[in-house]
Amino acid sequence: MSIAEAKAALRAEMFARRKAAFAAHAPDDARHLAEVLRAHRGRALSGYIPMRTEIDCLPAMAAHVGPVGVPVIIGKGQALKFRAWSPGAEMIAGEFGALIPASGGRIVPEVLIVPLLAFDRRGYRLGYGGGFYDRTLEGLRAAGRVTAIGFAFAAQEVPEVPVEPVDQRLDLIVTEAGVIRPAAP
C-alpha cells in the first residue's frame, strides 16, 4: 500500500473516530489549550473556526492575550494567510466553507493551533490532504520561530501516522486529557 493509500484509509477511520469523540465532548475540552497559551501571552496566535466535528479552540482563542487570527485559504497549492479575528467578528464563508472574518488586517502567527484528524507521539498529524498547514508551517519556520500546536481529542491518537518528506511535525499536541510533548527527531 502506498503512503497516499495508507493516509486515505486512515482518514476514513479517523473521521468516524473523531465524530464519536465529538459526540462525547465536554464544555471544558479546551482547558489544557488555554493553559498552554498562557505561556505565549502577547505573541500573535492563529487558531481556527471549528468545522463539523473538530474540537473547539474558540474559548482558548478568545481568552488569549495578544493578537489572534484565523486561516484564510488563498488557493489550491498555496500556504495559508491569516486574518485578524476577535469574538463577535462578522464571519463569512471562505474556501471549502471555512468561516473567515469579513474584514480585518493580516497577522503572521508566532503560535499556530492546527486542526487534525489523527496524530502520533512523534508529533506527526494527518490532515485533510490539501497540504495547507504543511506548506504554511514550512514557510513560517523558514521565516523564523513558530510554535505549532495540534489540538484534538485524545481518541484521535494513533500509533503511527504515515508520513512523507513534506509533512511538518507539531511542537505540541493538546487534547482534553492533557499535553503531549513529542521527542525531538
Side-chain angles (χ1 to χ4, degrees):
M1 179 183 305
S2 72
I3 290 178
E5 292 167 330
K7 284 183 172 185
L10 185 57
R11 277 188 190 96
E13 174 190 341
M14 296 312 296
F15 271 116
R17 195 185 296 185
R18 187 177 74 185
K19 183 178 181 180
F22 181 81
H25 81 281
D28 66 346
D29 282 343
R31 73 183 183 285
H32 294 296
L33 181 61
E35 291 168 12
V36 166
L37 293 180
R38 279 194 209 73
H40 299 282
R41 291 172 59 97
R43 295 179 70 195
L45 167 73
S46 179
Y48 57 88
I49 305 299
M51 295 177 59
R52 297 177 293 273
T53 59
E54 290 175 338
I55 191 168
D56 188 356
C57 63
L58 292 175
M61 290 168 53
H64 181 66
V65 177
V68 178
V70 296
V72 176
I73 298 170
I74 303 302
K76 187 175 179 177
Q78 296 185 44
L80 299 166
K81 300 296 181 192
F82 301 89
R83 186 172 291 166
W85 171 88
S86 61
E90 178 188 355
M91 304 297 283
I92 59 172
E95 291 291 319
F96 303 112
L99 293 177
I100 60 173
S103 62
R106 182 171 178 242
I107 72 161
V108 177
E110 299 169 88
V111 180
L112 187 57
I113 304 170
V114 183
L116 51 90
L117 282 170
F119 68 89
D120 65 27
R121 295 215 168 225
R122 300 173 303 162
Y124 287 105
R125 65 178 276 278
L126 180 70
Y128 301 121
F132 293 106
Y133 278 95
D134 292 316
R135 278 187 291 282
T136 301
L137 283 170
E138 181 179 35
L140 289 171
R141 286 176 170 152
R145 178 82 175 113
V146 66
T147 301
I149 302 171
F151 189 45
F153 295 107
Q156 293 174 251
E157 183 175 355
V158 297
E160 189 171 297
V161 171
V163 295
E164 299 173 88
V166 296
D167 292 330
Q168 296 286 312
R169 290 177 74 241
L170 300 166
D171 298 299
L172 294 171
I173 300 149
V174 179
T175 73
E176 80 282 8
V179 178
I180 299 166
R181 299 182 192 291

